[in-house]
Structure formats: structure tokens, C-alpha cells
Amino acid sequence: MSTPNASSVAPAEGRRRGLRRLRPEAGTPAAAARDRRRSKRSRRLANVAGLMAALVLTGVGYSALAPGASAADDSTGNPSNAVEAGRELYVRSCITCHGSNLEGVTDRGPSLIGAGEAAVYFQVHTGRMPLVRQEAQAAERPPIFSEEEIDQLMAYVQENGGGPTLPSGDLRDGDLAEGGELFRLNCAQCHNFTGQGGALSSGKRAPSLAEANDLTIYAAMLHGPENMPVFGDNQLSPDEKRSIIDYVQTMKTSADPGGYGAGRVGPVAEGLVIWVAAVGALLFGIFWMGTKA
Amino acid sequence: MATSTVPGPGAPATLVGKAAYEVDDRLIVAGPVRRTLNKVFPDHWSFLLGEIALYSFIMLLLSGTYLTFFYDASMKEIVYEGSYSALRGIEMSAAYESTLDISFDVRGGLFIRQMHHWAALLFVASIVVHLLRIFFTGAYRRPRETNWFIGVALLVLAMLEGFAGYTLPDDLLSGTGLRIFSAVFLSIPVIGTWIYFTVFGGDFPGELIIGRLYILHVLIIPAVLLALIALHLLILVKQKHTQFPGAGRTEHNVVGNRLFPTFAAKATGLLFIVFGVLAALGGLVQINPIWQMGPYNPAQVSAGSQPDWYIGFVDGGSRIFPPWEIDLWGYHIPPVLWGALGIPGIMFTLLMLYPIIERKLTGDTASHHLLQRPRDVPVRTSLGAMAITAYLVLFISGGNDVIAERFDISLNAMTWAGRIGFLVLPPIAYWATYRLCLGLEQHDREVLEHGIETGVIRRLPSGEFIEVHQPLGPVDEHGHGMLAYGGASVPKKMNQVGGARRAIRGFFKPIEEPAAVQLEAEQEARGLESEQSHRQLTGSGRPSEGGRPSEGGRPSEGGKPQQEPRA
């Protein structure tokens, strides 16, 4: 549970589960036995009072203890509530294609053993998973799970499959120029110089990095989604990954000093501008002059 | 005895006049200058297309000269320590470093660089549009074949010049283009490797190519371009400009405006419009942001690497040509040869030889000074449409990866669409254009024969309804017009022959009151009515009386055109 959201998830979950546990009325049998010889009326009153007291005590006691108990669960690494909740989400949304034991299903989805929480974060946070339909490549869209639920899924997959974990700290803590050089060497051949993305074969594509946040880029490098190769820590050290992220995010926010950037796609957009804007304007201009005979 | 010149009658009295007299006294230029200034140029908006190319070229010379003050055509490796932080500490060539300096540290450098690049794109684009105008109006026919050859040579040189300039910054994008260029050299059987090593002087990329391209770009090709442009214009002046057929225009005269002042004023105006558009683009729209691309490194390549638009069709040809590896007599012919050299080679050969081909096919060896309307030569027009279609398919295929990515289309589908489209679409374009030409021709003839549809429905005594047609000229005993088609545009609407009141003046917004024009028209009609006992249906004059409308269907405004004989 290294993600920042984990601790805020657990209390709410615990309270919901606590209410369910109250229903068996744990404290009542002993009180009933002690008062069996009393009169029916007083016995009935005592029953009700005892029941009420027990209920109140149990409820108060549980609500006082529960947060501490769930926090202890997290710190000791026992199967936590997050993992349990993640399992429920997994069974509901992922099991059809990834199998009941993360082993994958032929022609539907790959095994998640060894995928790790990085893969879950990337795929679910960018809305690629759950998959809309089987096609060349999963489409990016707004995530359908909340941040909490993504954390729970991450916990479940990490717990049962293992694999790369997400980093923590400032992911832009790197050298800008070195990041640029590494980006051009490792990333630009698919994602383009400016991270605009590019076409691959048969409808597959390297997506634009315009919407990608630091953690998404890092997670993608760690697990190599779809057609992307894995850039493990042996190929690109964590420092180098941070440099690349620094470069990508800096370039995205940097202004275009030359004016309107035309989508930063290069000569194709420039050709469009010269033919539509410039030749169009000049044809209009000479037609106008032509009427001034 | 002092022989002071006594001013005779007509001698200059003003200071300017005296100065001009002194000059002419020494150089004897009054005659030629007067002849030149009085030269008549026909007037049509499409005759200004070539001028756009000329003014782009002037802009290229001016901005390019400024860039040479700061550019260093060297491939020496240095470490960047300039003001662009995302590249600081990176190894790069001096050429790339100096281009970064022009972009970030030279005052006005980025603006001039961008203007230069936009001017280059516009230069080639306006040459192409100009060429299309020449082609579709048959302006290349005898005696102007020489100027056609020069024009095609100018286009090819402009493309080479542009490619050399595109490569000079030595950034990752242009380096990728150079790598492809080198591969095209290598693909030529037998002599390919020899050419390659002659050009590059060693393994790719070597240390020479930028310096060599620089000399080509700033000296050799511009000098040839300049000489050819001068020749192009001299031949144009000598042969005089072609003109569209129309009233008073024959094979033996030139109708238009004198060089001075009308034509000179328009040309100057256009010069400023072109400069203005280029300056606006250079200042407002970013082009070739080399700092985003990084220095060239043969180990790196980017998705979406494209050449500038005018090389795009070559790229497209290489992309869609099937991967056929052919072995002939022990020599290997890779597919890139067909795509990158075969298709452009065939294209430019056909383009260059087209006047000769057409002369051979039609047997027309006469001199022509009157232009043809595209519809009147359906075969040529359709061949042109076919060529444009094939070119566009190649051009679009040159950017097929960007289109695939942006519009979420499979790249394979784009490639196959290009392959099938290149074979299937041009014949369809030929057929459709041919039918369009015939349809337009027939409509012209129909209007000449039966007159303009007035929209007035008349009921005959028999009960039959007919639409009244306005004949354009005298009619025979059957009511059919006797005017023959002369290759000029035929008015098709009543207000083009003065049926309604004349059009309100003003191009962008009306500059006169509609009511006043209406009043004027009514007074004119009343005047005509009083002197004309028999009036045509519409009350307007015939075209011969009211004057022909101009090509655009707009009544000509301003002074009467000038005329001069063809020598």
C-alpha cells in the first residue's frame, strides 16, 4: 500500500463491514440465561434493556476500535480490506478476460501474473481497461473506476500476481536535456518528436502523450502496454525515467516561440497552412485585384 | 562664345524633367524606356499567379541573405551551451547550434527564419498553381514552348533548392530526410554507390554534406534560378502575354493595361500583399521548430517524419509502391527506386514534353496568342485532372501515417487506399472531367442558339406556356441565334447583359447606395425608351451595345483597356 489514497479508503470500508457484523446480536444469550427465573414482565423489560445496552456498547466499541484495526491490517501486510475490495471489483469487471486466477483467457486477455500494480494503474487509470471491445488496440477514455477503486484493484493484482510497483516522490526530478536525448533515442520513433503519437501497423498506434500524467508515463515504461516495449530499470534507470518524464512534461507546457504551433505535427500541418491559408488568401487577393481592372 | 543650350519648345522646365533630360542626353534611353513603360499587359486575375512566385523568390533572397550572416555550415561536433535549456549540454553539429542561435539569440532571427521557410513553401506552391493555369489554358502552345520548358526546370530546381535548405539546420527531421535521400541514391543500380560516395564523401552522414548542400543552396541553385527567371521574363516580354478571347481581342493584338502606371501599380500592390502574407505567417505561425526535434543523430528517428509538402509526393510514391525486390541481370532493384525516382521521373518527363506530345497528337503547329477555355479542350483538361488526381493520391500518401493517426484509420488501410486510388481514381477523374467539359460546352452553345433563360413565363393563345429567352445577337428566321461560339465566356444570366440594373460596386462591401443605382438604371431605361421604338423584352441593350462583361462575369470598372499590336 504505497499509494497515497490507500489509508483514506480503508476507514469507510471498515465501517460498512462493521454494520454487517452487528446483526448476529453477539451479547444477548448470557443476559437471557441469568434472568430466566424472573417474572415474565420484568424479564421482558430486562431483555429489551439488555439488548439495547449490548447493541449500543457493541456499536460504540466497534466504531471506536475499527479504524485502528484496519490501519494495523495495512501495516502488517495481511490481506487487507483493499485487496478484498479489489477482488470484488476484479470478479465483477476483469475476470471474463483475465481469468479467475489472473492467468488470462485465450483470445480474450493476457495473464496478469507479473503485471503488477504499474500495469493496473496505467490500463485502468487511462480508461483502456475495462476494454470496450476487442479491436486493434484499447482506446483511451475517461476512467470508469474511481481513484479508490483503482487502488483496490492495484492492491489485488499486486497481491496475487506480483510485478513492478509504482514509484513515489517527484517523478520530474531529472535532467531535462538528458531526458530529451533519451526521449529521442527511445520514444520518438513511435511517439513522435513532440509526443504527438504516431501510427503503427493495422490500426495500432502509439498514443499522444498530451493527456499523460507523470505516473502514467512511468507506469507505461515499467510494464510496456500493448505494443510498447518494456523499459525495465536495467534499460532505463529510475533516474533516466524521471529525466524523460521531466522532458515530456516540460515540452508539453512550454510555449511555441514561433507562434501558432499547428498541433506540432510538422510538415503535414505546414503544407496544409501554406495551401489553405496562404494560397487561399493570395488567390482571393489577386481575384480582388482582377476586379479592379 | 558660350554655347549655352537654349531651351527649345517642349524642353523640360521642372527639376526632375531637367535631370531626366541630362540622363537621356548621355544614355539615349528615352525611346526604349517609353516603349517599355507603354507596354500593354492583358488583364486577368489568373495572370498574376506567376508574379506570386516571383515575389516569394524576392522574399527568399532577402530573408536568406540575412540568415547567411549567422548560419555556420559546419558539421563539427560541439556541446550546446546556449539559451535553450532543454538542449544544454547536448552534443550537436555547429550547423544545428547556429540555427538554434538564429532562433533564440539573434534579434529577429526566428521571424526571418520562419518567413524564409514559409516563403519557400509558397514559392513552390505558387509555381505549381501558375503551371496549372498555363496548362489548362493552353498557354504553352507555339510559340511559348521554350518558356514552358524553362518553367518546368524552375519547378524542379525550386524543389531541389527547397530540399537543400530543409536539410541545412541538421536537425533530426531533416537528417531523416537526408538519410532517405541517401538510400534513394544507393538504390540506383550500378552507379548508385558511386553517386552516393561522390555526394557524401564517406559513410553516412559524414562531415561534408551540409557544407556541400549549403553551397548548392545559397550559390549554385539560386544563381541558376535567377538566370532562368530572368530568361523566363525576357521571353515573356518579347513574345508578349497571351490573352483570353473576347471582344476586340485577336491573335494579332494585345488588349490590356500599360505597364505604367496601371500594371506597375497592381504589381507593386501584389508584391506587398505577398510580403504581407509571408510576414504574417512568419510572425504568427510556427514552422519547422528544430529545437523540438533535436540535433541529428543517425541512431534516432521520429514517427511522423515528413518532407516539406513539395517532396511529399515522392515520399508518397515510396510508401505505396509494393515491396517488389527485382533482380535483373544480377543487379538488385529495390522498390524504393520506383517510388522515389521512377514515379517523379516519369511525371516530370511527361510534364516537360507535354507541349511536344500535344503538337504531335493534334498536328496543331500554328502560333497561338489567344488562350483556350479549359472546357473547349476536353482531352487536355481531362488529362490534367487525371494527373492532378494521381499527384494528390501520392501527396496524401506521403502523409498517410499522420492522417492515420489523427483520424484513427489503420495505416495499412491508408496504404492500400493509396495503391488502389492511384490506379482507379485518375481514370474516373478523366471521365468525370470530360463529361463536365462537354456539358459546359453544350450549355454555352445552347445559350448562343436559344438565348438566355429570362425566367419570364408566357402563355400563348393556344394555352401553351413557354419560357421567354433573350437572344444574345441577331436571330435567323427560326428564332435561332446566329452568333458563333468564339471561345469567350457566354453570359448566362440576364443581369450579365444588363437585364437587371447593373451590379452594385464594391468587392468587400457595397460602396454605393442600391437605391441610387436603381434610379440611375431607370433613368437610363427611360432614355433608351424615348429613342428606341422597338425594344427587346428586357429593355436592355444587346451585348454589342452594352459592352461585354469581363471574364468573371462582373462588369468591368474603370478606364478603357489599352491595345497594342503584336509584333
Side-chain angles (χ1 to χ4, degrees):
Chain A
M1 274 300 150
S2 55
T3 54
N5 287 324
S7 58
S8 64
V9 178
E13 189 59 23
R15 206 168 292 123
R16 209 187 308 150
R17 294 172 56 78
L19 285 172
R20 238 175 278 146
R21 236 177 257 176
L22 275 176
R23 293 216 174 88
E25 302 172 8
T28 46
R34 201 168 58 241
D35 294 334
R36 196 161 291 154
R37 284 177 301 266
R38 291 183 185 173
S39 68
K40 211 169 189 178
R41 173 183 287 245
S42 65
R43 223 168 28 210
R44 192 169 289 159
L45 277 171
N47 272 350
V48 174
L51 176 61
M52 293 301 289
L55 276 171
V56 170
L57 269 175
T58 315
V60 169
Y62 188 85
S63 65
L65 288 171
S70 92
D73 268 1
D74 281 347
S75 62
T76 53
N78 288 331
S80 67
N81 295 321
V83 171
E84 185 56 25
R87 193 188 65 78
E88 283 178 25
L89 290 170
Y90 182 88
V91 168
R92 183 145 43 90
S93 302
C94 320
I95 200 166
T96 322
C97 302
H98 293 296
S100 51
N101 295 312
L102 307 183
E103 79 280 20
V105 176
T106 312
D107 293 337
R108 280 199 209 148
S111 164
L112 296 185
I113 293 163
E117 61 177 17
V120 179
Y121 179 79
F122 177 86
Q123 297 286 354
V124 182
H125 190 263
T126 61
R128 288 181 166 83
M129 291 291 146
L131 197 61
V132 179
R133 59 177 175 271
Q134 295 281 359
E135 55 185 330
Q137 190 166 316
E140 203 170 347
R141 65 194 163 124
I144 66 160
F145 288 116
S146 67
E147 294 285 338
E148 298 169 24
E149 289 169 327
I150 294 172
D151 286 333
Q152 290 159 4
L153 271 173
M154 281 162 55
Y156 174 73
V157 173
Q158 187 68 35
E159 183 76 24
N160 293 291
T165 56
L166 286 178
S168 56
D170 181 9
L171 297 183
R172 302 190 192 183
D173 181 23
D175 182 76
L176 183 64
E178 190 206 356
E181 193 65 10
L182 290 168
F183 182 84
R184 288 187 288 276
L185 196 59
N186 294 291
C187 320
Q189 61 263 56
C190 299
H191 289 285
N192 174 278
F193 312 99
T194 52
Q196 296 302 315
L200 304 175
S201 59
S202 303
K204 289 175 275 203
R205 65 202 168 273
S208 162
L209 302 180
E211 303 291 322
N213 66 26
D214 298 358
L215 206 52
T216 316
I217 301 175
Y218 202 109
M221 286 192 272
L222 276 181
H223 96 283
E226 317 260 1
N227 291 281
M228 180 165 160
V230 172
F231 293 94
D233 286 351
N234 291 333
Q235 283 131 317
L236 287 173
S237 71
D239 282 344
E240 289 173 332
K241 288 195 180 80
R242 285 173 158 79
S243 297
I244 289 176
I245 292 170
D246 187 26
Y247 179 76
V248 170
Q249 305 292 32
T250 307
M251 291 302 281
K252 261 157 55 175
T253 52
S254 65
D256 283 320
Y260 171 60
R264 291 186 179 175
V265 276
V268 171
E270 291 157 11
L272 207 61
V273 168
I274 201 72
W275 276 101
V276 175
V279 174
L282 288 169
L283 283 180
F284 184 81
I286 59 173
F287 187 70
W288 172 56
M289 291 177 76
T291 65
K292 307 268 160 196
Chain B
M1 190 176 150
T3 54
S4 67
T5 48
V6 181
T14 62
L15 197 61
V16 178
K18 280 177 186 156
Y21 182 83
E22 293 298 325
V23 171
D24 185 47
D25 204 28
R26 287 161 178 77
L27 300 176
I28 329 277
V29 289
V33 167
R34 183 190 303 275
R35 272 199 300 281
T36 310
L37 291 184
N38 278 340
K39 201 160 179 53
V40 170
F41 282 87
D43 196 39
H44 189 265
W45 65 268
S46 70
F47 298 167
L48 298 174
L49 290 167
E51 275 183 53
I52 298 178
L54 178 66
Y55 302 144
S56 309
F57 186 68
I58 293 173
M59 173 59 88
L60 283 168
L61 291 180
L62 294 175
S63 55
T65 306
Y66 185 76
L67 295 175
T68 60
F69 298 159
F70 308 102
Y71 176 73
D72 177 9
S74 155
M75 295 177 88
K76 191 179 64 190
E77 284 286 311
I78 48 173
V79 175
Y80 182 66
E81 293 299 344
S83 54
Y84 183 65
S85 62
L87 287 170
R88 218 171 279 151
I90 299 290
E91 277 202 0
M92 57 182 64
S93 67
Y96 184 74
E97 196 243 6
S98 62
T99 316
L100 282 179
D101 285 346
I102 288 172
S103 305
F104 292 113
D105 298 304
V106 172
R107 192 170 295 274
L110 181 58
F111 171 64
I112 299 286
R113 226 199 92 216
Q114 297 201 135
M115 204 156 61
H116 188 73
H117 204 138
W118 284 121
L121 298 193
L122 182 63
F123 182 50
V124 193
S126 50
I127 290 177
V128 169
V129 180
H130 174 56
L131 179 142
L132 293 178
R133 200 283 291 172
I134 300 291
F135 179 84
F136 283 111
T137 57
Y140 53 80
R141 291 173 298 165
R142 184 187 174 94
R144 294 184 178 75
E145 303 99 323
T146 321
N147 246 5
W148 172 267
F149 300 147
I150 294 174
V152 175
L154 280 171
L155 173 60
V156 176
L157 281 173
M159 288 168 54
L160 287 177
E161 172 75 346
F163 183 81
Y166 164 90
T167 309
L168 290 185
D170 200 22
D171 57 306
L172 187 49
L173 178 62
S174 70
T176 306
L178 193 62
R179 173 90 253 192
I180 296 170
F181 210 66
S182 77
V184 173
F185 280 146
L186 286 172
S187 74
I188 304 171
V190 188
I191 56 169
T193 43
W194 295 94
I195 294 179
Y196 171 83
F197 277 98
T198 310
V199 170
F200 284 85
D203 230 344
F204 185 84
E207 291 180 338
L208 301 170
I209 187 67
I210 293 288
R212 290 178 173 181
L213 284 174
Y214 184 61
I215 287 301
L216 272 183
H217 183 75
V218 302
L219 183 70
I220 299 171
I221 302 182
V224 180
L225 277 175
L226 205 55
L228 286 181
I229 288 173
L231 194 59
H232 200 64
L233 292 178
L234 279 176
I235 293 176
L236 163 79
V237 168
K238 179 75 185 74
Q239 294 182 331
K240 298 190 176 167
H241 206 288
T242 51
Q243 59 190 352
F244 277 103
R249 298 177 189 170
T250 69
E251 290 281 5
H252 308 292
N253 69 0
V254 188
V255 180
N257 292 307
R258 300 221 181 277
L259 175 64
F260 192 84
T262 315
F263 187 78
K266 290 178 91 163
T268 315
L270 184 56
L271 172 82
F272 286 124
I273 291 180
V274 171
F275 277 24
V277 166
L278 288 175
L281 282 176
L284 298 175
V285 187
Q286 182 165 287
I287 186 167
N288 200 21
I290 51 143
W291 55 91
Q292 288 176 1
M293 293 153 189
Y296 184 55
N297 175 344
Q300 301 169 349
V301 69
S302 166
S305 290
Q306 316 280 353
D308 278 342
W309 78 262
Y310 43 84
I311 307 285
F313 79 99
V314 183
D315 197 355
S318 331
R319 286 177 191 218
I320 64 171
F321 197 83
W324 295 335
E325 308 278 348
I326 300 167
D327 282 298
L328 285 179
W329 303 289
Y331 292 105
H332 181 68
I333 303 176
V336 69
L337 180 73
W338 305 110
L341 282 184
I343 294 175
I346 292 168
M347 194 182 99
F348 282 113
T349 307
L350 285 177
L351 192 65
M352 184 70 105
L353 298 180
Y354 188 79
I356 298 171
I357 297 171
E358 188 184 273
R359 208 167 53 199
K360 284 270 183 287
L361 291 180
T362 60
D364 178 6
T365 53
S367 276
H368 296 280
H369 301 292
L370 284 178
L371 297 171
Q372 289 169 307
R373 302 175 82 202
R375 70 187 63 178
D376 294 335
V377 199
V379 173
R380 179 205 295 148
T381 306
S382 307
L383 283 174
M386 189 161 132
I388 290 176
T389 311
Y391 179 87
L392 281 180
V393 170
L394 293 178
F395 182 58
I396 291 170
S397 296
N400 61 5
D401 55 339
V402 173
I403 295 170
E405 196 268 326
R406 289 281 141 160
F407 295 98
D408 205 6
I409 304 166
S410 160
L411 181 58
N412 302 39
M414 282 297 295
T415 305
W416 275 103
R419 286 172 182 166
I420 297 167
F422 184 74
L423 297 176
V424 169
L425 291 181
I428 294 176
Y430 184 96
W431 176 83
T433 312
Y434 199 90
R435 300 312 306 175
L436 275 174
C437 288
L438 292 191
L440 289 168
E441 263 183 30
Q442 279 174 2
H443 190 225
D444 280 349
R445 281 171 171 73
E446 184 200 315
V447 170
L448 282 171
E449 196 167 331
H450 296 121
I452 301 174
E453 295 176 353
T454 59
V456 176
I457 308 293
R458 182 177 287 168
R459 191 177 185 194
L460 300 181
S462 61
E464 184 191 358
F465 288 94
I466 58 159
E467 183 180 5
V468 179
H469 284 69
Q470 165 68 52
L472 287 170
V475 293
D476 61 15
E477 64 271 24
H478 304 293
H480 287 160
M482 286 156 68
L483 284 177
Y485 179 69
S489 87
V490 175
K492 304 249 173 89
K493 292 190 179 114
M494 285 306 289
N495 57 0
Q496 286 174 323
V497 293
R501 57 156 172 71
R502 66 173 171 78
I504 308 284
R505 285 201 190 116
F507 188 81
F508 293 106
K509 57 182 172 49
I511 55 169
E512 54 188 0
E513 282 294 317
V517 178
Q518 185 68 39
L519 199 66
E520 181 193 311
E522 279 166 10
Q523 279 167 351
E524 201 176 307
R526 225 170 285 132
L528 284 171
E529 207 163 3
S530 61
E531 69 191 41
Q532 246 182 303
S533 54
H534 176 69
R535 286 181 63 219
Q536 293 282 358
L537 177 91
T538 55
S540 71
R542 288 176 184 154
S544 58
E545 289 157 4
R548 293 192 66 83
S550 65
E551 263 71 40
R554 307 172 70 91
S556 65
E557 297 158 13
K560 278 211 149 117
Q562 310 290 323
Q563 212 192 103
E564 72 173 11
R566 274 184 203 282

